[in-house]
Amino acid sequence: MSISVALVDDHAVVREAVAGMLAAHDDISVVGQAGSLSDGHALMDRLLTTPPEGNLVAVIDVTMPDGSGLSLVRSARQRSKSIGLVVLTMLNDDSTLLEALDAGASALVRKSAPSEQVISAVRRAAQMPEEFSASGLAEAMRRQADTPQTTLTSRETEVLKLLVEGASVAQVGRQLFMSPSTVKTHIGKIYDKLGAHNRASAVIAAVRLGLVADVDH
């Protein structure tokens, strides 16, 4: 079985490293690369319209300057049940993992994982594109089931909405008439309640829980 891989990651060094790692295997060839979400959508459109030889797998980063790679995963899955979709990310939180599952990904692998794990995920995605696999999935689902309903105070909700819109700490403070330290305190509480470690995972968790409306990237 031959596998054709498309890479979508805004870091050129990471893309080239992954491309070199994949190309070292005779059954895998890299057929396209994109360095932004918009270019990723264009690449997917081209490859899904005129599929290359072999099984098609896309390896997609989550955090990019012009949006979340998970939106690309979702749109690609809606167009094709046979494409393999591997999420390759630095993020290490339940929200990202579960969002990848919901988006229709075939696998989630962290960038800190050994190269063999990335290769294995690509091959598995080529064979079983609709069966999701990820390290820690069972534990993440158990934690989600055990987590009580998340509630934010009205002030925390105001702060969160501004974060979703891309506001900085200083901008949030100016709009809500709070000092930067107070804003940071609210952000810390929001992260704790959402089980998030950074802004990206907090936004994903908030949208997932219906605490804020989704945003177009």
Side-chain angles (χ1 to χ4, degrees):
M1 177 183 67
S2 62
I3 304 172
S4 295
V5 176
L7 300 175
V8 182
D9 193 305
D10 63 317
H11 293 98
V13 173
V14 173
R15 283 202 319 275
E16 292 303 325
V18 174
M21 176 180 63
L22 295 172
H25 298 265
D26 293 338
D27 60 328
I28 302 174
S29 59
V30 177
V31 297
Q33 297 187 35
S36 67
L37 187 61
S38 59
D39 287 347
H41 278 288
L43 176 61
M44 285 297 98
D45 185 59
R46 175 170 65 81
L47 294 176
L48 290 174
T49 301
T50 309
E53 292 185 7
N55 294 32
L56 178 60
V57 176
V59 178
I60 302 171
D61 188 17
V62 174
T63 306
M64 287 183 278
D66 54 343
S68 170
L70 294 178
S71 66
L72 178 57
V73 171
R74 190 178 300 278
S75 66
R77 176 59 70 222
Q78 289 171 347
R79 292 185 60 178
S80 172
K81 292 184 177 180
S82 62
I83 184 175
L85 296 165
V86 176
V87 175
L88 186 62
T89 180
M90 292 180 65
L91 300 176
N92 184 16
D93 59 89
D94 291 352
S95 296
T96 300
L97 192 157
L98 295 172
E99 180 72 8
L101 169 63
D102 286 347
S106 311
L108 181 144
V109 182
R110 295 184 177 91
K111 290 183 177 179
S112 58
S115 59
E116 295 80 8
Q117 192 171 329
V118 178
I119 298 296
S120 176
V122 167
R123 288 183 171 143
R124 188 180 187 281
Q127 292 182 312
M128 297 177 287
E130 293 189 275
E131 293 189 22
F132 182 76
S133 68
S135 176
L137 175 60
E139 293 85 350
M141 295 184 74
R142 185 161 53 249
R143 283 191 292 269
Q144 182 191 45
D146 292 342
T147 300
Q149 183 64 38
T150 302
T151 56
L152 301 180
T153 66
S154 58
R155 201 55 156 171
E156 289 167 352
T157 301
E158 290 176 331
V159 171
L160 179 59
K161 287 180 178 177
L162 291 174
L163 293 179
V164 170
E165 293 171 4
S168 66
V169 169
Q171 289 170 331
V172 172
R174 283 195 294 271
Q175 279 201 240
L176 300 181
F177 305 100
M178 293 188 293
S179 69
S181 61
T182 300
V183 173
K184 290 177 182 178
T185 297
H186 282 299
I187 291 175
K189 291 179 180 178
I190 291 169
Y191 284 9
D192 287 342
K193 289 184 178 182
L194 297 182
H197 304 290
N198 53 39
R199 181 190 294 243
S201 58
V203 169
I204 291 172
V207 172
R208 178 183 186 78
L209 294 169
L211 300 175
V212 296
D214 201 351
V215 290
D216 294 327
H217 294 299

